[in-house]
Structure formats: structure tokens, C-alpha cells
Amino acid sequence: MRCTAKVLFAAALLAMVVSTAKAQTIVASLDTTNLPTNATNGFGGFTFGDFPNFVPAIISSPTDPFLTLDIPMFTNGFGGMGVDFVTSVEAPDPNDPNETIEVNQLTQNFDPSLATWEFRLRIGDNNSATSIRTTMVDVDGPEQDSGLGEGGVLFMQGDEHVYEFDLTGVPVDGNFHTLTAAVDSPLFSQGAFGVSAGNGIVDPGLKQIQIQAGDTTNYLDVEIEFARIVLVPEPTAMALVLLGIAPLGVLRRR
């Protein structure tokens, strides 16, 4: 009986350690829940280039929704879709006290060194594309341009950080697979569309995430559950001690 109790205690302790060490927070996720409109802020999703329009999104079924990209060729060699994850701050309209106007947008701020891209997809039978990409728009500098009002661009500097995922090793087996990439290690960075370039550093202010074509010369046939950024905190000192990685002394503060 004592042995059984010890085993149960050890199992409970391990579960607690794993939960402590692996707990994660979803920063932003591009999936059917926020296309064509992100319910958390009311902003519309968008597509560009050769990606198809989503009306409201191409979904497999009401119980198991996913995004379908079935694009045999890229006439312009480019395309993607995205959605904003900022929230708005409104204030009374100085010209009409009964109305409000948007005066600022709040971005998603987090530590990129603790963040990971998770891209969960299934490869279709017709796919010959070798890669697919995600992009994060990172606001820099002033985020507010007073006087533009609702519908205006409320930031003036920012970067697009682009990440690429290799499709060549993903099995074509009818199952979904999760690909990952470190948020602080993009393939490349460039100035964000329509504004001045930022500092070129991954230091969000996250404003927007996108899914983009990577290989633009071959047939893209994929079904996507989500492309998202998750924040995985570093294990606490107690978790490290319980795992036997750190000595008890790390818990003592001087």
C-alpha cells in the first residue's frame, strides 16, 4: 500500500512539474475563428495576391474546421492572407460629443525569446510546393497618429518578420502535423507595408500575423488548422528542482 501511495505521489508530482514547465499562452492564432473577421476586435481579415478569398473561410466541416489552400499556380508569384490582433482605444469625437473615434491601437507585447511559431497543417495529394511562410508585423516607434480617426493607420513605423516552414519532409498521410519555428529567428525582416521601416529587430508590439506562399512556382495544396504564436515561459526554479536539473539553492534569494 505504501509503495502504491509513493507511485501515485510521484505520478502527481511529475504531472505538476510537466504542467509548470510546459504551460503556454497563445499570443495570436490565424485560423477559422478569426476569418474573415477577428471576433476579439471586429477587424476584418484579408487576402492578397493569388490567395483565394475566404467567404467566410473555406472549412471542411462545422465540427472540424480548417483553412484550405488549393492553388495550382501563382500568376503573380505572390500571395497571402492575414488578420490584425491589435485592440482599439476610442475617445469622444471632438466634433461630435455623441460619437467616438479611434485614437490608438494596442499591440500584443511579449518576449520573443520565449515564443514559438506553431504551424499545423495537412499536405494534400496535389501538393508540390516545398515551403510555406508566416509573417508577423511588429510595430516600432509612435503607434498613434492623432487626428486620423477611425479607419486610419494608427502606427507609422514597423517591420515584417518572415518565417519559412519546409514542407518536403511532411508526410502525405492524411494526418495533421505541427511545424515549429523560433519567433526570434526569422528567415528575414523588412519594412512593413505602407509605413516607414522600423528597427529591424524582433521586439513586438505584434500588430498582425499572416500566412504566405513560400515556394511560388509549384502547386500549393494544404489544409491548415492554425498558424499561431505561443509563449512558453521558462520553467520556474521549483520545477527545475523537482526535475533534478537545478540544486535547491536556486530557490534561495540573497
Side-chain angles (χ1 to χ4, degrees):
M1 183 66 71
R2 290 180 179 176
C3 182
T4 301
K6 289 181 178 179
V7 170
L8 291 175
F9 174 76
L13 184 62
L14 178 60
M16 182 186 72
V17 170
V18 171
S19 175
T20 302
K22 295 295 186 180
Q24 67 180 33
T25 300
I26 298 174
V27 176
S29 179
L30 209 173
D31 54 45
T32 58
T33 63
N34 44 46
L35 285 173
T37 302
N38 186 345
T40 62
N41 57 24
F43 293 2
F46 59 89
T47 62
F48 54 92
D50 293 317
F51 269 40
N53 292 321
F54 289 82
V55 191
I58 302 173
I59 23 183
S60 60
S61 75
T63 56
D64 182 25
F66 53 75
L67 307 172
T68 299
L69 299 181
D70 188 357
I71 307 172
M73 61 183 296
F74 287 85
T75 56
N76 297 318
F78 185 60
M81 60 180 173
V83 69
D84 286 329
F85 287 89
V86 296
T87 54
S88 299
V89 176
E90 296 191 349
D93 186 340
N95 299 317
D96 186 348
N98 296 318
E99 299 292 335
T100 61
I101 58 172
E102 186 179 47
V103 296
N104 204 352
Q105 293 180 349
L106 302 179
T107 58
Q108 303 266 6
N109 300 317
F110 60 93
D111 184 347
S113 68
L114 301 179
T116 301
W117 275 101
E118 293 182 341
F119 204 153
R120 187 162 176 81
L121 52 77
R122 175 164 57 197
I123 304 295
D125 293 335
N126 294 322
N127 185 73
S128 59
T130 59
S131 63
I132 193 167
R133 292 178 176 177
T134 58
T135 296
M136 176 183 73
V137 176
D138 170 8
V139 168
D140 293 312
E143 296 183 28
Q144 178 175 340
D145 188 352
S146 300
L148 281 179
E150 191 166 359
V153 177
L154 297 178
F155 75 101
M156 294 172 284
Q157 297 176 15
D159 296 311
E160 296 175 353
H161 305 293
V162 181
Y163 307 80
E164 188 164 75
F165 300 83
D166 184 4
L167 299 180
T168 58
V170 181
V172 185
D173 57 5
N175 297 317
F176 282 91
H177 299 272
T178 302
L179 310 180
T180 61
V183 170
D184 59 358
S185 300
L187 177 68
F188 65 88
S189 300
Q190 61 188 14
F193 177 76
V195 297
S196 300
N199 59 17
I201 301 171
V202 183
D203 56 353
L206 178 149
K207 179 183 186 290
Q208 181 185 103
I209 66 173
Q210 302 174 9
I211 296 172
Q212 291 186 349
D215 174 2
T216 60
T217 59
N218 289 301
Y219 198 123
L220 180 63
D221 179 14
V222 294
E223 294 165 334
I224 300 167
E225 278 196 358
F226 55 75
R228 69 190 186 187
I229 295 175
V230 298
L231 189 64
V232 183
E234 293 178 324
T236 64
M238 177 59 77
L240 294 176
V241 169
L242 294 175
L243 286 170
I245 297 174
L248 185 59
V250 300
L251 296 178
R252 298 174 183 160
R253 294 189 179 183
R254 297 182 182 273

mmCIF file of all heavy atoms in Angstrom, residues 94-123:
data_model
loop_
_atom_site.group_PDB
_atom_site.id
_atom_site.type_symbol
_atom_site.label_atom_id
_atom_site.label_comp_id
_atom_site.label_asym_id
_atom_site.label_seq_id
_atom_site.Cartn_x
_atom_site.Cartn_y
_atom_site.Cartn_z
ATOM 1 N N PRO A 94 -14.114 65.055 -30.896
ATOM 2 C CA PRO A 94 -14.166 66.483 -30.523
ATOM 3 C C PRO A 94 -15.180 67.270 -31.340
ATOM 4 O O PRO A 94 -15.635 68.333 -30.916
ATOM 5 C CB PRO A 94 -12.732 66.974 -30.782
ATOM 6 C CG PRO A 94 -12.148 65.974 -31.720
ATOM 7 C CD PRO A 94 -12.795 64.667 -31.407
ATOM 8 N N ASN A 95 -15.540 66.716 -32.507
ATOM 9 C CA ASN A 95 -16.512 67.412 -33.361
ATOM 10 C C ASN A 95 -17.950 66.966 -33.108
ATOM 11 O O ASN A 95 -18.887 67.587 -33.621
ATOM 12 C CB ASN A 95 -16.165 67.188 -34.834
ATOM 13 C CG ASN A 95 -14.799 67.720 -35.184
ATOM 14 O OD1 ASN A 95 -14.441 68.819 -34.765
ATOM 15 N ND2 ASN A 95 -14.030 66.950 -35.928
ATOM 16 N N ASP A 96 -18.119 65.867 -32.348
ATOM 17 C CA ASP A 96 -19.452 65.358 -32.055
ATOM 18 C C ASP A 96 -19.397 64.570 -30.750
ATOM 19 O O ASP A 96 -18.993 63.407 -30.741
ATOM 20 C CB ASP A 96 -19.944 64.463 -33.195
ATOM 21 C CG ASP A 96 -21.398 64.029 -32.997
ATOM 22 O OD1 ASP A 96 -21.944 64.221 -31.884
ATOM 23 O OD2 ASP A 96 -21.991 63.490 -33.954
ATOM 24 N N PRO A 97 -19.758 65.169 -29.640
ATOM 25 C CA PRO A 97 -19.622 64.511 -28.331
ATOM 26 C C PRO A 97 -20.459 63.238 -28.196
ATOM 27 O O PRO A 97 -20.252 62.464 -27.265
ATOM 28 C CB PRO A 97 -20.087 65.592 -27.343
ATOM 29 C CG PRO A 97 -20.915 66.527 -28.163
ATOM 30 C CD PRO A 97 -20.325 66.524 -29.537
ATOM 31 N N ASN A 98 -21.395 63.024 -29.100
ATOM 32 C CA ASN A 98 -22.211 61.814 -29.051
ATOM 33 C C ASN A 98 -21.563 60.640 -29.795
ATOM 34 O O ASN A 98 -22.091 59.528 -29.785
ATOM 35 C CB ASN A 98 -23.598 62.082 -29.653
ATOM 36 C CG ASN A 98 -24.383 63.095 -28.843
ATOM 37 O OD1 ASN A 98 -24.375 63.052 -27.617
ATOM 38 N ND2 ASN A 98 -25.049 64.027 -29.536
ATOM 39 N N GLU A 99 -20.439 60.874 -30.429
ATOM 40 C CA GLU A 99 -19.743 59.838 -31.188
ATOM 41 C C GLU A 99 -18.339 59.629 -30.619
ATOM 42 O O GLU A 99 -17.823 60.470 -29.885
ATOM 43 C CB GLU A 99 -19.643 60.225 -32.669
ATOM 44 C CG GLU A 99 -20.982 60.415 -33.361
ATOM 45 C CD GLU A 99 -21.740 59.115 -33.512
ATOM 46 O OE1 GLU A 99 -21.076 58.043 -33.530
ATOM 47 O OE2 GLU A 99 -22.982 59.144 -33.613
ATOM 48 N N THR A 100 -17.748 58.506 -30.956
ATOM 49 C CA THR A 100 -16.364 58.238 -30.573
ATOM 50 C C THR A 100 -15.524 58.007 -31.817
ATOM 51 O O THR A 100 -16.046 57.635 -32.877
ATOM 52 C CB THR A 100 -16.263 57.007 -29.660
ATOM 53 O OG1 THR A 100 -16.759 55.849 -30.365
ATOM 54 C CG2 THR A 100 -17.054 57.200 -28.381
ATOM 55 N N ILE A 101 -14.220 58.229 -31.682
ATOM 56 C CA ILE A 101 -13.283 57.947 -32.764
ATOM 57 C C ILE A 101 -12.126 57.119 -32.208
ATOM 58 O O ILE A 101 -11.827 57.164 -31.015
ATOM 59 C CB ILE A 101 -12.730 59.235 -33.411
ATOM 60 C CG1 ILE A 101 -12.026 60.100 -32.363
ATOM 61 C CG2 ILE A 101 -13.825 60.008 -34.119
ATOM 62 C CD1 ILE A 101 -11.285 61.279 -32.958
ATOM 63 N N GLU A 102 -11.504 56.353 -33.069
ATOM 64 C CA GLU A 102 -10.356 55.539 -32.679
ATOM 65 C C GLU A 102 -9.121 56.438 -32.598
ATOM 66 O O GLU A 102 -8.785 57.129 -33.553
ATOM 67 C CB GLU A 102 -10.133 54.428 -33.706
ATOM 68 C CG GLU A 102 -9.070 53.423 -33.350
ATOM 69 C CD GLU A 102 -8.922 52.348 -34.412
ATOM 70 O OE1 GLU A 102 -8.861 52.715 -35.603
ATOM 71 O OE2 GLU A 102 -8.879 51.161 -34.064
ATOM 72 N N VAL A 103 -8.460 56.449 -31.449
ATOM 73 C CA VAL A 103 -7.309 57.327 -31.264
ATOM 74 C C VAL A 103 -6.009 56.563 -31.073
ATOM 75 O O VAL A 103 -4.932 57.149 -31.102
ATOM 76 C CB VAL A 103 -7.511 58.271 -30.057
ATOM 77 C CG1 VAL A 103 -8.680 59.218 -30.304
ATOM 78 C CG2 VAL A 103 -7.734 57.478 -28.774
ATOM 79 N N ASN A 104 -6.086 55.253 -30.867
ATOM 80 C CA ASN A 104 -4.859 54.475 -30.695
ATOM 81 C C ASN A 104 -5.188 52.994 -30.868
ATOM 82 O O ASN A 104 -6.350 52.594 -30.827
ATOM 83 C CB ASN A 104 -4.243 54.709 -29.317
ATOM 84 C CG ASN A 104 -2.755 54.414 -29.288
ATOM 85 O OD1 ASN A 104 -2.202 53.896 -30.251
ATOM 86 N ND2 ASN A 104 -2.107 54.731 -28.189
ATOM 87 N N GLN A 105 -4.157 52.212 -31.087
ATOM 88 C CA GLN A 105 -4.297 50.767 -31.154
ATOM 89 C C GLN A 105 -3.252 50.128 -30.241
ATOM 90 O O GLN A 105 -2.098 50.543 -30.235
ATOM 91 C CB GLN A 105 -4.101 50.256 -32.595
ATOM 92 C CG GLN A 105 -5.202 50.687 -33.542
ATOM 93 C CD GLN A 105 -4.989 50.172 -34.949
ATOM 94 O OE1 GLN A 105 -3.933 49.652 -35.286
ATOM 95 N NE2 GLN A 105 -6.005 50.324 -35.779
ATOM 96 N N LEU A 106 -3.675 49.145 -29.449
ATOM 97 C CA LEU A 106 -2.776 48.471 -28.515
ATOM 98 C C LEU A 106 -2.291 47.173 -29.140
ATOM 99 O O LEU A 106 -3.092 46.316 -29.532
ATOM 100 C CB LEU A 106 -3.498 48.187 -27.197
ATOM 101 C CG LEU A 106 -4.063 49.416 -26.470
ATOM 102 C CD1 LEU A 106 -4.763 48.982 -25.185
ATOM 103 C CD2 LEU A 106 -2.967 50.421 -26.174
ATOM 104 N N THR A 107 -0.988 47.021 -29.215
ATOM 105 C CA THR A 107 -0.400 45.827 -29.816
ATOM 106 C C THR A 107 -0.203 44.740 -28.767
ATOM 107 O O THR A 107 -0.369 44.967 -27.573
ATOM 108 C CB THR A 107 0.956 46.164 -30.454
ATOM 109 O OG1 THR A 107 1.812 46.718 -29.454
ATOM 110 C CG2 THR A 107 0.794 47.162 -31.585
ATOM 111 N N GLN A 108 0.162 43.554 -29.231
ATOM 112 C CA GLN A 108 0.447 42.428 -28.350
ATOM 113 C C GLN A 108 1.941 42.432 -28.039
ATOM 114 O O GLN A 108 2.764 42.252 -28.932
ATOM 115 C CB GLN A 108 0.081 41.110 -29.052
ATOM 116 C CG GLN A 108 -1.365 41.045 -29.499
ATOM 117 C CD GLN A 108 -2.256 40.381 -28.470
ATOM 118 O OE1 GLN A 108 -1.831 40.065 -27.377
ATOM 119 N NE2 GLN A 108 -3.498 40.159 -28.833
ATOM 120 N N ASN A 109 2.298 42.645 -26.784
ATOM 121 C CA ASN A 109 3.703 42.706 -26.386
ATOM 122 C C ASN A 109 4.098 41.429 -25.650
ATOM 123 O O ASN A 109 3.374 40.960 -24.767
ATOM 124 C CB ASN A 109 3.947 43.919 -25.484
ATOM 125 C CG ASN A 109 3.599 45.222 -26.180
ATOM 126 O OD1 ASN A 109 3.926 45.407 -27.341
ATOM 127 N ND2 ASN A 109 2.926 46.113 -25.490
ATOM 128 N N PHE A 110 5.234 40.853 -26.020
ATOM 129 C CA PHE A 110 5.705 39.622 -25.384
ATOM 130 C C PHE A 110 7.193 39.451 -25.650
ATOM 131 O O PHE A 110 7.769 40.142 -26.498
ATOM 132 C CB PHE A 110 4.922 38.399 -25.900
ATOM 133 C CG PHE A 110 5.047 38.171 -27.392
ATOM 134 C CD1 PHE A 110 6.020 37.325 -27.905
ATOM 135 C CD2 PHE A 110 4.183 38.795 -28.279
ATOM 136 C CE1 PHE A 110 6.140 37.112 -29.272
ATOM 137 C CE2 PHE A 110 4.289 38.588 -29.655
ATOM 138 C CZ PHE A 110 5.268 37.742 -30.141
ATOM 139 N N ASP A 111 7.815 38.527 -24.923
ATOM 140 C CA ASP A 111 9.244 38.246 -25.062
ATOM 141 C C ASP A 111 9.443 37.258 -26.213
ATOM 142 O O ASP A 111 9.062 36.087 -26.093
ATOM 143 C CB ASP A 111 9.775 37.653 -23.759
ATOM 144 C CG ASP A 111 11.289 37.421 -23.778
ATOM 145 O OD1 ASP A 111 11.881 37.481 -24.871
ATOM 146 O OD2 ASP A 111 11.852 37.152 -22.702
ATOM 147 N N PRO A 112 10.021 37.674 -27.340
ATOM 148 C CA PRO A 112 10.158 36.769 -28.487
ATOM 149 C C PRO A 112 11.077 35.588 -28.220
ATOM 150 O O PRO A 112 10.964 34.552 -28.876
ATOM 151 C CB PRO A 112 10.712 37.674 -29.591
ATOM 152 C CG PRO A 112 11.372 38.793 -28.874
ATOM 153 C CD PRO A 112 10.576 39.007 -27.615
ATOM 154 N N SER A 113 12.002 35.711 -27.255
ATOM 155 C CA SER A 113 12.906 34.603 -26.970
ATOM 156 C C SER A 113 12.179 33.434 -26.323
ATOM 157 O O SER A 113 12.704 32.311 -26.278
ATOM 158 C CB SER A 113 14.052 35.069 -26.077
ATOM 159 O OG SER A 113 13.586 35.394 -24.774
ATOM 160 N N LEU A 114 10.978 33.676 -25.802
ATOM 161 C CA LEU A 114 10.187 32.621 -25.171
ATOM 162 C C LEU A 114 9.010 32.195 -26.041
ATOM 163 O O LEU A 114 8.136 31.460 -25.585
ATOM 164 C CB LEU A 114 9.659 33.093 -23.809
ATOM 165 C CG LEU A 114 10.701 33.513 -22.775
ATOM 166 C CD1 LEU A 114 10.015 33.986 -21.499
ATOM 167 C CD2 LEU A 114 11.669 32.385 -22.482
ATOM 168 N N ALA A 115 8.992 32.655 -27.297
ATOM 169 C CA ALA A 115 7.846 32.416 -28.170
ATOM 170 C C ALA A 115 8.207 31.495 -29.334
ATOM 171 O O ALA A 115 9.349 31.488 -29.808
ATOM 172 C CB ALA A 115 7.299 33.731 -28.698
ATOM 173 N N THR A 116 7.220 30.753 -29.795
ATOM 174 C CA THR A 116 7.401 29.788 -30.885
ATOM 175 C C THR A 116 6.226 29.882 -31.853
ATOM 176 O O THR A 116 5.073 30.022 -31.435
ATOM 177 C CB THR A 116 7.472 28.344 -30.331
ATOM 178 O OG1 THR A 116 8.551 28.240 -29.406
ATOM 179 C CG2 THR A 116 7.660 27.331 -31.444
ATOM 180 N N TRP A 117 6.544 29.812 -33.144
ATOM 181 C CA TRP A 117 5.507 29.621 -34.157
ATOM 182 C C TRP A 117 5.115 28.153 -34.172
ATOM 183 O O TRP A 117 5.978 27.265 -34.175
ATOM 184 C CB TRP A 117 6.027 29.983 -35.540
ATOM 185 C CG TRP A 117 5.945 31.428 -35.915
ATOM 186 C CD1 TRP A 117 6.959 32.346 -35.899
ATOM 187 C CD2 TRP A 117 4.781 32.118 -36.397
ATOM 188 N NE1 TRP A 117 6.510 33.563 -36.334
ATOM 189 C CE2 TRP A 117 5.174 33.449 -36.654
ATOM 190 C CE3 TRP A 117 3.459 31.738 -36.640
ATOM 191 C CZ2 TRP A 117 4.276 34.404 -37.139
ATOM 192 C CZ3 TRP A 117 2.569 32.685 -37.125
ATOM 193 C CH2 TRP A 117 2.982 34.007 -37.365
ATOM 194 N N GLU A 118 3.811 27.878 -34.216
ATOM 195 C CA GLU A 118 3.287 26.538 -34.441
ATOM 196 C C GLU A 118 2.390 26.586 -35.673
ATOM 197 O O GLU A 118 1.408 27.330 -35.709
ATOM 198 C CB GLU A 118 2.490 26.039 -33.234
ATOM 199 C CG GLU A 118 3.340 25.812 -31.995
ATOM 200 C CD GLU A 118 2.538 25.261 -30.830
ATOM 201 O OE1 GLU A 118 1.283 25.386 -30.857
ATOM 202 O OE2 GLU A 118 3.156 24.721 -29.888
ATOM 203 N N PHE A 119 2.759 25.827 -36.685
ATOM 204 C CA PHE A 119 2.021 25.797 -37.954
ATOM 205 C C PHE A 119 1.514 24.361 -38.129
ATOM 206 O O PHE A 119 2.294 23.443 -38.390
ATOM 207 C CB PHE A 119 2.960 26.177 -39.096
ATOM 208 C CG PHE A 119 2.264 26.723 -40.319
ATOM 209 C CD1 PHE A 119 2.928 27.585 -41.169
ATOM 210 C CD2 PHE A 119 0.959 26.382 -40.623
ATOM 211 C CE1 PHE A 119 2.318 28.104 -42.293
ATOM 212 C CE2 PHE A 119 0.325 26.893 -41.741
ATOM 213 C CZ PHE A 119 1.000 27.760 -42.584
ATOM 214 N N ARG A 120 0.209 24.172 -37.952
ATOM 215 C CA ARG A 120 -0.363 22.823 -38.014
ATOM 216 C C ARG A 120 -1.134 22.662 -39.322
ATOM 217 O O ARG A 120 -2.107 23.384 -39.581
ATOM 218 C CB ARG A 120 -1.267 22.553 -36.811
ATOM 219 C CG ARG A 120 -1.763 21.108 -36.744
ATOM 220 C CD ARG A 120 -2.266 20.758 -35.352
ATOM 221 N NE ARG A 120 -2.835 19.413 -35.294
ATOM 222 C CZ ARG A 120 -2.122 18.299 -35.179
ATOM 223 N NH1 ARG A 120 -0.798 18.383 -35.107
ATOM 224 N NH2 ARG A 120 -2.704 17.120 -35.125
ATOM 225 N N LEU A 121 -0.696 21.700 -40.128
ATOM 226 C CA LEU A 121 -1.288 21.543 -41.453
ATOM 227 C C LEU A 121 -1.262 20.091 -41.910
ATOM 228 O O LEU A 121 -0.575 19.248 -41.350
ATOM 229 C CB LEU A 121 -0.558 22.437 -42.463
ATOM 230 C CG LEU A 121 0.973 22.358 -42.571
ATOM 231 C CD1 LEU A 121 1.433 21.138 -43.324
ATOM 232 C CD2 LEU A 121 1.519 23.609 -43.212
ATOM 233 N N ARG A 122 -2.020 19.854 -42.975
ATOM 234 C CA ARG A 122 -2.066 18.546 -43.617
ATOM 235 C C ARG A 122 -1.744 18.744 -45.094
ATOM 236 O O ARG A 122 -2.280 19.640 -45.737
ATOM 237 C CB ARG A 122 -3.458 17.923 -43.441
ATOM 238 C CG ARG A 122 -3.671 16.601 -44.164
ATOM 239 C CD ARG A 122 -4.897 15.874 -43.628
ATOM 240 N NE ARG A 122 -6.116 16.677 -43.729
ATOM 241 C CZ ARG A 122 -7.234 16.407 -43.056
ATOM 242 N NH1 ARG A 122 -7.276 15.390 -42.212
ATOM 243 N NH2 ARG A 122 -8.314 17.169 -43.208
ATOM 244 N N ILE A 123 -0.868 17.916 -45.626
ATOM 245 C CA ILE A 123 -0.447 18.032 -47.022
ATOM 246 C C ILE A 123 -1.446 17.301 -47.912
ATOM 247 O O ILE A 123 -1.787 16.135 -47.674
ATOM 248 C CB ILE A 123 0.956 17.447 -47.225
ATOM 249 C CG1 ILE A 123 1.961 18.105 -46.280
ATOM 250 C CG2 ILE A 123 1.396 17.606 -48.687
ATOM 251 C CD1 ILE A 123 2.184 19.566 -46.542
#
